[in-house]
Amino acid sequence: MSEPDVTTLSLNDVHRLALTALRRHDCSVEQAAAVADTVTAAERDRCASHGLFRIPGYVEALNLGKVDGFAEPTVEMLAPGSIRVDANRGFAPLALDVGAPPLIEAARTNGVAGLGLVNGFHFAALWPEVELICDAGLVGFAFVGSSSFVAPAGGTRKLFGTNPMAFGWPRSNGNSVIFDQASSASARGEIQLHERDGKEIPLDWAIDDDGQPTTDPTAALAGAQLPFGGHKGSGVALMVELLAGALIGDLFSYETTAADTPGGPAIGGEFMLAISPSRFVPGGDADAQLAHAEGLFAEMLSQEGTRLPSDRRYAARAETPATGATIPTSLFATIEALAGH
């Protein structure tokens, strides 16, 4: 198979292209900038499945009137450690930008704080919001649902979303340790990239419409994805459904699917948790806790072949300001057209 044609863009060009495409399709400066920031961060860290690859989906949702491109998120403090952000049918990145400061402040004050983001369209990775929490010196969690894509362990019909969760631990000297993973065997975007590139998927990622394992990404997208590790991933998916659905008063994935309309992301909720390490030790000094964690990281890395979660992203982040981001030329042409170039 011949290598696909690619185009290399500077990170500034990535942001400008994403922003222009969104603004041209009835999206406010605030909404478009927040999405462009998230897309650019993904390209910066070479997370292709959540970078410019997503822009046609964002634009489609705007053109269909599914997402309100001029929505203004609203924040409500339900309790000293409980924040609710209503995205008002806008994209999630702006709602997260609005909700993060009160979440961080509440966690610093109370030790623990939770945020429920409702009525929004999340179409990105989770690590950007968790990293923001860690940058404030806090431990962070994030959980988000989606449309039904994943069969529960032992089942053959879609019920759960890919239901990712992310965890982040801050460090005094170094990048935060963050993992962001789907509860399915793969992210849906990875299957979509395999389909786009004409590549087979691993046999344990999905089943087809007949409930049979498949390596065909198109059959996988029409069938059902599988949870990672069988019942283990299925249990995680169930937990995410409850946290990002019932707990914060938003939809389960199967309810989202029933109410959804075609085009782009699905509406749903996100639950975030921020924890202040300094509030869990006498004296309020987190240095000893963070130093203790460094011992664990060192022991882990002493074994050949290991790495800390996100190390590959951080390595890419150090390179892409100079090398730029590389995307398929066909995708570049599509987004150029959306941007009116």
Side-chain angles (χ1 to χ4, degrees):
M1 182 183 297
S2 61
E3 291 295 320
D5 291 335
V6 296
T7 296
T8 299
L9 303 170
S10 71
L11 296 181
N12 285 338
D13 286 341
V14 168
H15 193 278
R16 188 180 304 110
L17 185 60
L19 183 69
T20 302
L22 292 164
R23 289 286 292 133
R24 188 167 179 263
H25 295 269
D26 291 327
C27 195
S28 70
V29 172
E30 295 79 9
Q31 285 278 347
V35 171
D37 288 347
T38 299
V39 166
T40 304
E43 292 291 352
R44 177 199 65 195
D45 289 8
R46 294 189 182 132
C47 298
S49 61
H50 291 90
L52 287 170
F53 172 70
R54 297 281 184 176
I55 288 296
Y58 281 116
V59 170
E60 183 181 21
L62 291 167
N63 288 342
L64 293 171
K66 182 176 183 177
V67 173
D68 182 355
F70 291 88
E72 297 181 3
T74 54
V75 180
E76 183 179 4
M77 296 293 297
L78 300 179
S82 179
I83 300 108
R84 179 182 175 90
V85 180
D86 192 331
N88 291 314
R89 299 192 67 83
F91 293 123
L94 181 60
L96 291 166
D97 286 348
V98 170
L103 173 66
I104 290 168
E105 182 60 30
R108 286 173 171 165
T109 300
N110 302 305
V112 179
L115 181 150
L117 188 156
V118 299
N119 205 23
F121 293 85
H122 199 292
F123 207 40
L126 289 177
W127 56 260
E129 49 257 44
V130 173
E131 188 170 328
L132 185 62
I133 293 172
C134 291
D135 287 346
L138 306 174
V139 176
F141 290 86
F143 310 85
V144 69
S146 67
S147 297
S148 290
F149 295 129
V150 180
T156 57
R157 291 185 292 106
K158 300 174 184 177
L159 176 65
F160 301 140
T162 55
N163 291 8
M165 62 173 292
F167 167 80
W169 179 272
R171 303 174 75 185
S172 298
N173 299 300
N175 294 311
S176 301
V177 173
I178 297 172
F179 73 75
D180 176 359
Q181 64 183 49
S183 53
S184 51
S186 74
R188 193 159 187 83
E190 290 299 323
I191 299 179
Q192 292 169 327
L193 287 176
H194 277 69
E195 182 183 43
R196 182 194 71 186
D197 297 339
K199 297 179 180 179
E200 291 188 341
I201 62 170
L203 194 61
D204 60 352
W205 279 15
I207 53 179
D208 61 21
D209 258 342
D210 296 321
Q212 298 301 310
T214 181
T215 60
D216 181 346
T218 302
L221 293 171
Q225 292 177 243
L226 296 174
F228 74 82
H231 287 86
K232 295 179 181 180
S234 192
V236 171
L238 176 61
M239 176 188 70
V240 175
E241 291 283 344
L242 296 170
L243 292 175
L247 180 67
I248 63 173
D250 214 301
L251 301 173
F252 292 129
S253 294
Y254 79 90
E255 293 172 326
T256 292
T257 297
D260 197 24
T261 56
I267 197 166
E270 177 175 359
F271 176 64
M272 297 177 63
L273 192 66
I275 304 170
S276 173
S278 66
R279 292 292 185 171
F280 282 84
V281 291
D285 185 354
D287 289 346
Q289 293 155 287
L290 300 187
H292 193 190
E294 291 301 316
L296 173 63
F297 302 149
E299 286 293 323
M300 179 177 170
L301 293 174
S302 69
Q303 299 186 33
E304 186 176 355
T306 63
R307 63 178 174 82
L308 295 178
S310 290
D311 274 357
R312 286 187 298 186
R313 285 199 303 102
Y314 294 134
R317 185 179 300 185
E319 296 173 355
T320 51
T323 64
T326 299
I327 65 171
T329 298
S330 58
L331 175 62
F332 175 67
T334 296
I335 302 176
E336 281 270 280
L338 293 174
H341 295 166

